[in-house]
Amino acid sequence: MELVIRDAEVVDGSGGPSYRADVAIDRGRIAAIVKEGAQAGCQRPTGRRVLDAEGLALSPGFVDMHAHSDLALLRDPDHSAKAAQGVTLEVLGQDGLSYAPVDDRTLAEVRRAITGWNGDGSDVDLDWRTVGEYLDRLDGAHGGRGIAVNAAYLVPQGTVRMYAMGWEDRPATGPELDRMRRLVAEGLEQGAVGMSSGLTYTPGMYAPDAELTELCRVVARYGGYYCPHHRSYGAGALRAYQEMVALTREAGCPLHLAHATMNFGVNRGRAPELLALLDEALDAGADISLDTYPYTPGCTTLVALLPGWASEGGPEAILARLRDDTAAERIRRHLEETGSDGCHGVPVEWHTVEISGVADPALTEHVGRRVDDWPAARRLLIDDRLGTTILQHVGHEENVRAIMRHRVHTGGSDGILQGLKPHPRAYGTFPHYLGRYVRELGVLSLEECVAHLTSRPAARLRLPDRGLVREHYIADLVLFDPATVAAGSTYASPRTLPTGIPHVLVDGRFVIDDGHRTDVLAGRTIRRTPTP
């Protein structure tokens, strides 16, 4: 064998009890598993390399169900932000906004719209236009060597709407809806695993339910799933969750709820209401899953807080309204008095808004500071040309813990890697689950937590040979120390790498070996074979 991992405590991803075993790997797959006790009656596997795993847990690689590494995988071959956490697969194209499918106009606009998530892209050759070309670009990245970890892609509904009809706040015409259906179908035919939406982001939020239902019918026909950032995580959160459940059931489309949190003061202690809603739908036959990150603050762009009407027409139209005193006063009233749809229907509390990154290096003095008031926010939006990222300190620990226990829960970092002071979830989500919520708090058992991070997301993605430690499965694996694994990232030092994860394998090759990043680029795109 190429590799034998000797005497590991195998946490196989099923949720069942762990066991001690030797695990042999050959040609990128798990070739043999010899459990303790069976070893006496047969020859233990041998390999060109034998790794002593005494004291370490061996699990499937972690699946980040909500990642924003769409350009990071292309610009940074190292990508230790995820590889060092044990992430072996990321799902990109989130929140309805990403870089394919596009034409030249749409690409320029989407680059501006999500500069705060991924940078402006000026350091990446954005030479693709279709979903298939983007996936090919990932596979051929870094001189044809590939990418650090595997990647799957969701067709972004906001980008599709932008492509088909611009930034207009109105229902689509018949021909425009037909064009959107074609764009979604083409993306799925080219390997996308589903469709995402950002329904508090423009222009995705302008889509009525009937339009979303029609697009979800296309997704269902191709065997994909719908992943919405729904219309409110604040004042209308429960209504927004119910809307997505009803919409996807009508379309016959599987539903995966993105970063399924209950935030802001209006939702303190209300997670049980959400879980009861989901349980009722699941018991009635709905196909639902969700992801969360194990932290209370959220992270987005400052411009995302603005009311939807203020964003109609795109980035330049937003800046023009911000510069106009009358329009800016109307924006302020929506933000501070009535509650903006961009801020989830809740009047903004500026003391909860912390600047985490800026696009203009001349504005770095603002990073780490709270926003004082609307005049300060307005100046920063204009000066930074909408490129500012923020943390919003609006979550509740009791909600976080309740939701992560649910039977359809999976892990997703929602990791924005841009900015001087990003959210620590980008570098710490998966070890934070294992260290804080398993070892320290006992919210989940080790076996339960690993299942949440591995086999459950693999099942949602319909991956037949990933997500479990099983013979013949692809050897995307993590070795970690249950006694020491922990997130290194903090709010003060968010780019610190985790501890207690000495080895990570992608396709049977070490991307992390003895705690250090190797030069291996074993990641490739995971493309769903469409079944229309």
Side-chain angles (χ1 to χ4, degrees), residues 278-513:
L278 297 180
D279 283 334
E280 181 181 359
L282 287 162
D283 292 344
D287 184 354
I288 302 172
S289 55
L290 59 87
D291 65 69
T292 69
Y293 47 83
Y295 299 87
T296 53
C299 180
T300 188
T301 55
L302 184 56
V303 67
L305 304 186
L306 302 188
W309 63 262
S311 296
E312 187 176 6
E316 289 304 323
I318 299 170
L319 287 167
R321 292 185 182 102
L322 288 167
R323 294 187 184 105
D324 179 82
D325 289 343
T326 301
E329 171 56 19
R330 185 183 172 204
I331 293 171
R332 184 204 66 77
R333 288 198 303 271
H334 276 259
L335 281 169
E336 297 185 345
E337 297 173 16
T338 63
S340 158
D341 50 5
C343 196
H344 308 277
V346 177
V348 69
E349 296 175 307
W350 291 115
H351 69 274
T352 68
V353 179
E354 178 185 357
I355 304 302
S356 61
V358 291
D360 184 348
L363 300 170
T364 54
E365 65 186 51
H366 296 279
V367 176
R369 296 179 181 175
R370 303 293 174 114
V371 176
D372 294 327
D373 49 27
W374 167 239
R378 179 187 176 191
R379 284 194 304 273
L380 188 54
L381 284 165
I382 293 170
D383 292 346
D384 205 26
R385 294 186 60 78
L386 313 180
T388 306
T389 4
I390 60 169
L391 304 185
Q392 265 189 296
H393 297 268
V394 292
H396 308 288
E397 180 67 18
E398 65 271 32
N399 287 346
V400 170
R401 296 188 193 186
I403 293 168
M404 74 170 63
R405 292 189 185 101
H406 195 265
R407 53 179 161 150
V408 297
H409 170 266
T410 68
S413 71
D414 196 10
I416 294 174
L417 301 170
Q418 288 296 117
L420 291 177
K421 195 172 180 283
H423 196 304
R425 69 193 186 194
Y427 284 72
T429 286
F430 295 88
H432 200 50
Y433 269 119
L434 296 168
R436 177 68 173 159
Y437 289 93
V438 172
R439 184 179 64 247
E440 296 178 9
L441 298 176
V443 174
L444 295 167
S445 72
L446 180 61
E447 290 85 355
E448 288 173 323
C449 186
V450 168
H452 289 216
L453 306 181
T454 59
S455 63
R456 285 191 190 172
R460 166 52 72 214
L461 294 165
R462 298 185 181 178
L463 303 177
D465 52 5
R466 298 176 194 267
L468 293 167
V469 180
R470 292 281 191 275
E471 289 184 356
H472 311 302
Y473 273 51
I474 292 173
D476 292 346
L477 299 169
V478 184
L479 280 155
F480 63 91
D481 183 349
T484 63
V485 62
S489 59
T490 64
Y491 294 100
S493 301
R495 296 186 189 276
T496 305
L497 296 179
T499 56
I501 305 179
H503 304 286
V504 180
L505 293 91
V506 174
D507 196 31
R509 301 166 65 193
F510 285 94
V511 296
I512 302 291
D513 196 3

Side-chain angles (χ1 to χ4, degrees), residues 81-95:
K82 295 300 179 67
Q85 291 187 62
V87 171
T88 58
L89 170 58
E90 299 184 89
V91 184
L92 314 176
Q94 299 287 352
D95 295 327

Side-chain angles (χ1 to χ4, degrees), residues 59 63 73 116 177 208 259 344 379 406 444:
S59 83
V63 179
L73 282 165
L177 182 55
H259 38 58
H344 308 277
R379 284 194 304 273
H406 195 265
L444 295 167

Side-chain angles (χ1 to χ4, degrees), residues 74-383:
L74 293 171
R75 67 164 57 98
D76 177 19
D78 182 83
H79 202 51
S80 287
K82 295 300 179 67
Q85 291 187 62
V87 171
T88 58
L89 170 58
E90 299 184 89
V91 184
L92 314 176
Q94 299 287 352
D95 295 327
L97 290 167
S98 189
Y99 305 93
V102 293
D103 57 11
D104 291 350
R105 172 190 60 81
T106 307
L107 178 59
E109 291 176 349
V110 79
R111 284 175 62 181
R112 288 284 307 281
I114 53 175
T115 292
W117 295 357
N118 298 306
D120 66 7
S122 59
D123 56 343
V124 176
D125 183 6
L126 297 137
D127 58 353
W128 62 84
R129 293 298 178 267
T130 69
V131 169
E133 288 169 352
Y134 171 65
L135 297 178
D136 288 344
R137 184 77 158 76
L138 290 170
D139 284 335
H142 309 298
R145 296 171 60 217
I147 48 180
V149 302
N150 298 311
Y153 189 73
L154 296 165
V155 179
Q157 171 259 330
T159 300
V160 165
R161 198 173 210 268
M162 195 188 309
Y163 192 166
M165 55 184 294
W167 292 78
E168 297 184 43
D169 183 1
R170 60 171 176 80
T173 65
E176 287 167 343
L177 182 55
D178 286 342
R179 190 178 191 195
M180 285 189 273
R181 287 193 190 100
R182 286 196 302 272
L183 289 168
V184 171
E186 288 168 3
L188 292 161
E189 289 168 358
Q190 293 164 12
V193 297
M195 181 180 76
S196 75
S197 283
L199 301 179
T200 65
Y201 300 128
T202 54
M205 69 157 61
Y206 300 145
D209 284 1
E211 180 179 310
L212 296 171
T213 301
E214 287 303 308
L215 297 182
C216 282
R217 293 188 200 280
V218 177
V219 174
R221 192 165 70 246
Y222 282 88
Y225 69 92
Y226 181 43
C227 179
H229 165 132
H230 48 275
R231 298 192 194 274
S232 177
Y233 291 80
L238 288 173
R239 184 169 61 252
Y241 281 114
Q242 183 60 59
E243 174 192 14
M244 294 297 103
V245 171
L247 185 157
T248 50
R249 294 207 72 184
E250 181 179 348
C253 184
L255 172 64
H256 180 85
L257 294 163
H259 38 58
T261 56
M262 294 284 286
N263 289 339
F264 303 92
V266 294
N267 288 319
R268 183 181 295 275
R270 298 188 69 188
E273 296 176 60
L274 165 62
L275 301 180
L277 183 160
L278 297 180
D279 283 334
E280 181 181 359
L282 287 162
D283 292 344
D287 184 354
I288 302 172
S289 55
L290 59 87
D291 65 69
T292 69
Y293 47 83
Y295 299 87
T296 53
C299 180
T300 188
T301 55
L302 184 56
V303 67
L305 304 186
L306 302 188
W309 63 262
S311 296
E312 187 176 6
E316 289 304 323
I318 299 170
L319 287 167
R321 292 185 182 102
L322 288 167
R323 294 187 184 105
D324 179 82
D325 289 343
T326 301
E329 171 56 19
R330 185 183 172 204
I331 293 171
R332 184 204 66 77
R333 288 198 303 271
H334 276 259
L335 281 169
E336 297 185 345
E337 297 173 16
T338 63
S340 158
D341 50 5
C343 196
H344 308 277
V346 177
V348 69
E349 296 175 307
W350 291 115
H351 69 274
T352 68
V353 179
E354 178 185 357
I355 304 302
S356 61
V358 291
D360 184 348
L363 300 170
T364 54
E365 65 186 51
H366 296 279
V367 176
R369 296 179 181 175
R370 303 293 174 114
V371 176
D372 294 327
D373 49 27
W374 167 239
R378 179 187 176 191
R379 284 194 304 273
L380 188 54
L381 284 165
I382 293 170
D383 292 346

